[in-house]
Amino acid sequence: ITAASKQFGHGVSVAQGRFVAVSGVGSASIFDVLHPQSTQDSILASGVATAAGVDSPFTGASDELVSVAADAVVAIVTPRALNIRNTPTSRPHELALDVSGGVDGEAGELLGAFQATDQLFTSVTPSGVFAATSFVGPVSSHGNYVAVVLAGVLGTSAARGVAVLDVRSSVTAVGIVSSTVPSYGEAVTLSSDERG
């Protein structure tokens, strides 16, 4: 394991008992700890932005925190973009992403690529409309669900929101909860009740 970026290890996620996803500045890394020929593959912030259609994807990308969470799906988030990919199954030791955000071979199919300003991250609340302007960084993945923290505006006030997304045949918002408390969403996690 090589520290591939500044703040390497800012966040760590383990998927399916074998894939380790590590956050960092400018890029994140993913590797398969159970495959003897696994390589440490990088996901560049500019690639995440490119896949989401961000104008000028390379501008400032090397200084952006890339957060990643993995389970049945892999969620990769920067301040400007969110990519959601399948966790590979046919070649589980490979999840290589190139600079354009594409995938190497059959691994990690792109399921959705979004900017924070997309309609998916807008919600109507009793306090007004929450409209997102950027992703804050914390992200969580559990099964086919992803939770991501957003910064934006609620009515006329600065606010944060947590969006929970259902990732199946398409990506849909289960809900968005927003707050004008500045520290809202400093961390986020998803879990399920295994007892049914």
Side-chain angles (χ1 to χ4, degrees):
I1 300 170
T2 303
S5 64
K6 296 181 283 184
Q7 293 188 26
F8 182 79
H10 177 78
V12 176
S13 181
V14 179
Q16 300 173 6
R18 69 181 308 153
F19 299 105
V20 177
V22 183
S23 301
V25 172
S27 68
S29 297
I30 296 182
F31 49 93
D32 182 345
V33 296
L34 298 182
H35 196 284
Q37 293 153 346
S38 176
T39 58
Q40 182 175 329
D41 298 313
S42 292
I43 303 163
L44 300 178
S46 57
V48 175
T50 298
V54 171
D55 293 334
S56 304
F58 294 95
T59 304
S62 62
D63 295 321
E64 291 180 335
L65 180 63
V66 180
S67 298
V68 61
D71 196 38
V73 295
V74 179
I76 308 144
V77 66
T78 72
R80 299 183 293 165
L82 167 67
N83 288 184
I84 302 173
R85 296 183 176 276
N86 271 331
T87 301
T89 55
S90 60
R91 293 169 26 192
H93 61 287
E94 295 181 10
L95 186 63
L97 293 128
D98 63 26
V99 171
S100 68
V103 294
D104 182 14
E106 302 168 26
E109 172 193 4
L110 183 66
L111 301 174
F114 308 97
Q115 296 180 38
T117 54
D118 289 347
Q119 185 64 35
L120 182 66
F121 302 110
T122 300
S123 69
V124 178
T125 73
S127 302
V129 174
F130 173 78
T133 56
S134 66
F135 296 101
V136 176
V139 62
S140 180
S141 178
H142 184 73
N144 286 9
Y145 292 94
V146 170
V148 64
V149 181
L150 305 145
V153 178
L154 178 58
T156 58
S157 301
R160 285 187 170 193
V162 174
V164 177
L165 308 175
D166 185 352
V167 183
R168 295 181 200 265
S169 58
S170 64
V171 180
T172 57
V174 174
I176 300 173
V177 179
S178 55
S179 172
T180 56
V181 174
S183 61
Y184 183 74
E186 283 298 314
V188 65
T189 189
L190 291 169
S191 65
S192 64
D193 182 357
E194 298 296 328
R195 296 171 289 173

